[in-house]
Structure formats: structure tokens, C-alpha cells
């Protein structure tokens, strides 16, 4: 199957998120309905770094999880059966934070579909965040396609 790449504008055509809550910049590779790898560049000027934490800024864990969910959103909304739907974040499970993410870092987020409940249009994706070549965050995100 063909691998797809996308820039930020193409991502915006698929998911409803916008700045400052759009937390992926590009799709590095995607096989629709199977796997995806995205990237997010953490500009040191991002507003959340001012308060989390002054003197030693790090990306908040909740925003890391949100970038995982948005990566899964692109993967799912690229499928014909979910195109045009609104992805509602309904669950996070087994999330582990293993390495901090700092201003200037570039994270890569991978996701793959691991469970589908077709009648309810609920999909669970396993997601992994890489930073500086090491695993930073892992977990499962569950989305309802409405």
C-alpha cells in the first residue's frame, strides 16, 4: 500500500484542530487505516512553556497525550468511512511518561489501530512518542467518530 505524507495545511483539511491546539506539524508517513507517524516541532516560544515550568520548561503531559490523539485522528479521518466525522477523545489508558519534552525538541508520534468497535464507531490506537531517538511517552487513545 502507498505511503502518504502531509504538510500542516493538508492536516487541517482532515482534522478540526487549529492553533494553538493543533499539536502536529506534518505527517511523515501514513498507511491509511493501518499506521501513521507524525512530527511536532516544539517552538521555544510556545505559550505553555512560560508557565510549565518557569526556569525548567517542559511540554505538559496532557498536551503530549493530545498530540497522540491528534495523530490517531489523522489516521482515522483519512479512512473513507470516517472522513468528515468529528473525533471525540473518549479514553486514555496505560499512559507512561518516560522522558521529558523540552523547548526546541522535535517529537515524532506513531500510532496504529489496535481495536475497532464498528457498530459504535469507536477505535483504539496504540501510540508512541519518540524524542531524541528515545521513547518519551506510550499509551492507548480511544476515539469515538461522530
Amino acid at each position: 500500500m502507498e505511503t502518504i505524507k502531509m504538510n500542516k495545511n493538508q492536516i487541517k483539511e482532515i482534522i478540526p484542530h487549529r492553533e494553538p491546539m493543533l499539536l502536529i506539524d506534518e505527517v511523515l508517513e501514513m498507511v491509511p487505516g493501518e499506521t501513521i507517524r507524525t512530527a511536532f516541532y516544539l517552538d521555544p516560544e510556545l505559550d505553555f512553556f512560560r508557565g510549565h515550568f518557569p526556569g525548567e520548561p517542559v511540554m505538559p503531559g496532557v498536551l503530549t497525550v493530545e498530540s497522540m490523539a491528534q495523530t490517531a485522528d489523522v489516521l482515522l479521518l483519512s479512512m473513507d468511512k470516517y472522513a468528515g466525522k468529528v473525533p471525540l477523545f473518549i479514553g486514555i489508558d496505560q499512559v507512561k511518561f518516560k522522558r521529558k519534552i523540552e523547548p526546541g525538541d522535535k517529537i515524532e508520534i506513531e500510532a496504529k489501530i489496535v481495536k475497532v468497535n464498528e457498530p459504535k464507531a469507536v477505535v483504539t490506537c496504540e501510540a508512541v512518542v519518540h524524542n531524541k531517538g528515545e521513547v518519551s511517552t506510550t499509551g492507548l487513545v480511544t476515539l469515538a467518530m461522530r
Side-chain angles (χ1 to χ4, degrees):
M1 190 173 251
E2 183 179 341
T3 300
I4 297 171
K5 295 182 181 192
M6 293 180 194
N7 62 34
K8 195 173 216 172
N9 288 331
Q10 292 167 312
I11 291 168
K12 287 179 177 181
E13 291 174 11
I14 295 174
I15 63 174
H17 306 78
R18 296 295 180 266
E19 291 84 357
M21 284 305 298
L22 180 59
L23 300 176
I24 53 176
D25 290 318
E26 66 179 313
V27 173
L28 301 171
E29 59 184 341
M30 176 176 65
V31 177
E34 293 181 23
T35 63
I36 188 170
R37 186 168 56 96
T38 63
F40 182 55
Y41 304 95
L42 286 109
D43 183 330
E45 299 302 314
L46 286 167
D47 200 42
F48 58 76
F49 284 131
R50 289 187 314 114
H52 197 268
F53 298 99
E56 194 174 328
V58 296
M59 183 176 184
V62 296
L63 295 181
T64 304
V65 172
E66 176 65 21
S67 70
M68 294 162 67
Q70 289 181 20
T71 295
D73 291 345
V74 174
L75 175 62
L76 299 173
L77 294 174
S78 295
M79 299 166 61
D80 289 339
K81 66 181 169 183
Y82 298 130
K85 302 278 187 190
V86 175
L88 301 176
F89 198 174
I90 64 169
I92 56 173
D93 293 289
Q94 302 173 26
V95 173
K96 303 280 189 247
F97 300 99
K98 301 171 185 249
R99 179 184 177 89
K100 64 184 176 179
I101 300 169
E102 301 172 300
D105 286 350
K106 172 191 168 188
I107 59 173
E108 291 188 5
I109 307 109
E110 298 174 354
K112 66 180 178 180
I113 297 171
V114 294
K115 182 179 177 186
V116 178
N117 180 333
E118 288 288 346
K120 294 184 178 180
V122 173
V123 183
T124 299
C125 293
E126 179 180 46
V128 178
V129 179
H130 297 271
N131 182 24
K132 300 177 184 166
E134 295 183 24
V135 173
S136 170
T137 311
T138 62
L140 300 173
V141 294
T142 302
L143 304 152
M145 311 309 285
R146 301 292 183 252

